[in-house]
Amino acid sequence: MKRVFSGVQPSGHLTLGNYLGAVRRWADVDQHRADALFCVVDLHALTVEHDPARLRRLSRQTATLLLACGLDPEVCTLFVQSHVGEHTRLSYVLECVATDGEMRRMVQYKEKAVRQQERGAGVRLSLLTYPVLMAADILAYSTEEVPVGEDQKQHVELARDIAERFNQRYGHTFVVPRATLPAVGARVMNLQEPTSKMGKSDLSGPGVVRILDEPEAVRRKVMRAVTDSGQDVVHDRVERPGAANLLDILAACTGEAPEKLAAGYPGYGPLKKDVAEAVVELLRPVRERHAELSADPAYVDGVLRAGAERARGMARPLVDAAYRAIGLLPQA
């Protein structure tokens, strides 16, 4: 089976966008078609100012939600990044292969550094170098495929470049991974800013539907979603982004084509109502399962402990091989 790796950063509460854009596919498809590893990448959340207690809380919540969304620890490997030391062991070695210019060209670094500076905060060195840690996350497991959104594709390309460069200089050590993009229409936009992605760290609460939102909160956010001028419902992501976003969400919930759905609505009111109810029903079993798992923290701890042990067993031989290849003396 192919080896697949993907991770989610516990920088905020998982959203409808995370679920429809990635996690549902992980549960329904990826864990069954491949030797799949899914990771709560908590070390990446340290690149900006954060509250330690909140990070611990969100890391546990994220892992619990991934289980609630359908990841099966008997089928895939679920673990927390910081529980497997091979990630940081490999990251430094890969920093010795990557270049400063590559890091500074990363789009997310440029965008996040500007936001940090606008807030008057210093830019942490880890914000510059974390793409190498991401490469280590991927390469440590001989990963062949990395399911990511378009905004993360550049990071996978960096991992490819580093793997190829290491292999050329020090002998073949790493599998060169490739990014696999989600199906068209899986990207969910902010309900208040439909030209921007619905992000879990987004502070625009009314535009972000979180997986654990109560049904009434979901309905309220959808019914207040920004729409476009004109009353006719048309699926056009460029000219009518508000309507297109609602139709894309409904299509993802129902399996119908968004263009076909558009033809059935005379105005935005009925569309919003149907979207709200579809989202509530889609998230209901996830919320219920999350409540059950939250009542049994020992089970979640056991899953993460077993997942970390399994991941460590996969990664350690390869990381040891990379240490030998680059010239480090083996431990006696």
Side-chain angles (χ1 to χ4, degrees), residues 232-235 243 247 250 256-267 271:
D232 55 324
V233 177
V234 178
H235 186 264
L247 289 165
L250 186 58
E256 296 281 351
E259 295 82 5
K260 181 179 178 181
L261 289 168
Y265 290 97
L271 172 61

Side-chain angles (χ1 to χ4, degrees), residues 96-263:
C96 298
V97 178
T99 68
D100 175 77
E102 286 175 316
M103 297 300 99
R104 295 189 186 280
R105 286 194 295 271
M106 301 301 288
V107 173
Q108 290 209 0
Y109 167 70
K110 294 177 182 178
E111 294 176 348
K112 291 182 178 180
V114 168
R115 288 200 294 269
Q116 288 295 102
Q117 290 167 342
E118 288 175 346
R119 287 198 288 263
V123 179
R124 298 184 179 186
L125 178 61
S126 57
L127 188 61
L128 178 67
T129 60
Y130 89 90
V132 181
L133 176 57
M134 185 179 294
D137 298 338
I138 297 166
L139 298 180
Y141 299 99
S142 298
T143 302
E144 294 167 89
E145 295 184 7
V146 188
V148 292
E150 187 68 41
D151 60 334
Q152 292 292 329
K153 187 177 179 182
Q154 188 186 30
H155 288 106
V156 182
E157 291 301 320
L158 175 69
R160 289 176 57 86
D161 292 343
I162 291 175
E164 290 173 345
R165 191 178 305 145
F166 190 101
N167 290 344
Q168 290 167 1
R169 290 180 181 175
Y170 306 112
H172 185 80
T173 305
F174 298 112
V175 170
V176 179
R178 66 183 182 91
T180 55
L181 301 178
V184 174
R187 185 164 177 168
V188 178
M189 313 305 282
N190 189 298
L191 294 175
Q192 293 297 314
E193 301 174 28
T195 57
S196 301
K197 188 177 73 168
M198 184 183 288
K200 59 182 176 294
S201 57
D202 197 325
L203 299 178
S204 176
V208 178
V209 175
R210 297 179 173 86
I211 293 177
L212 293 179
D213 278 347
E214 295 290 338
E216 283 309 308
V218 173
R219 293 187 182 98
R220 183 170 59 253
K221 290 176 180 181
V222 173
M223 294 306 293
R224 294 177 180 175
V226 168
T227 50
D228 315 289
S229 59
Q231 289 301 310
D232 55 324
V233 177
V234 178
H235 186 264
D236 184 332
R237 293 192 180 105
V238 176
E239 299 297 329
R240 309 290 287 278
N245 189 35
L246 292 171
L247 289 165
D248 284 337
I249 293 171
L250 186 58
C253 291
T254 64
E256 296 281 351
E259 295 82 5
K260 181 179 178 181
L261 289 168

Side-chain angles (χ1 to χ4, degrees), residues 53-115:
R54 183 173 185 267
L55 175 58
R56 284 190 291 270
R57 186 170 63 251
L58 286 175
S59 296
R60 172 175 287 280
Q61 183 190 91
T62 300
T64 305
L65 267 174
L66 292 178
L67 291 170
C69 288
L71 293 190
D72 184 347
E74 299 299 320
V75 175
C76 67
T77 302
L78 174 64
F79 65 104
V80 175
Q81 180 189 33
S82 62
H83 294 177
V84 180
E86 278 62 34
H87 291 249
T88 49
R89 283 185 64 207
L90 182 57
S91 182
Y92 180 75
V93 166
L94 298 185
E95 283 187 15
C96 298
V97 178
T99 68
D100 175 77
E102 286 175 316
M103 297 300 99
R104 295 189 186 280
R105 286 194 295 271
M106 301 301 288
V107 173
Q108 290 209 0
Y109 167 70
K110 294 177 182 178
E111 294 176 348
K112 291 182 178 180
V114 168
R115 288 200 294 269

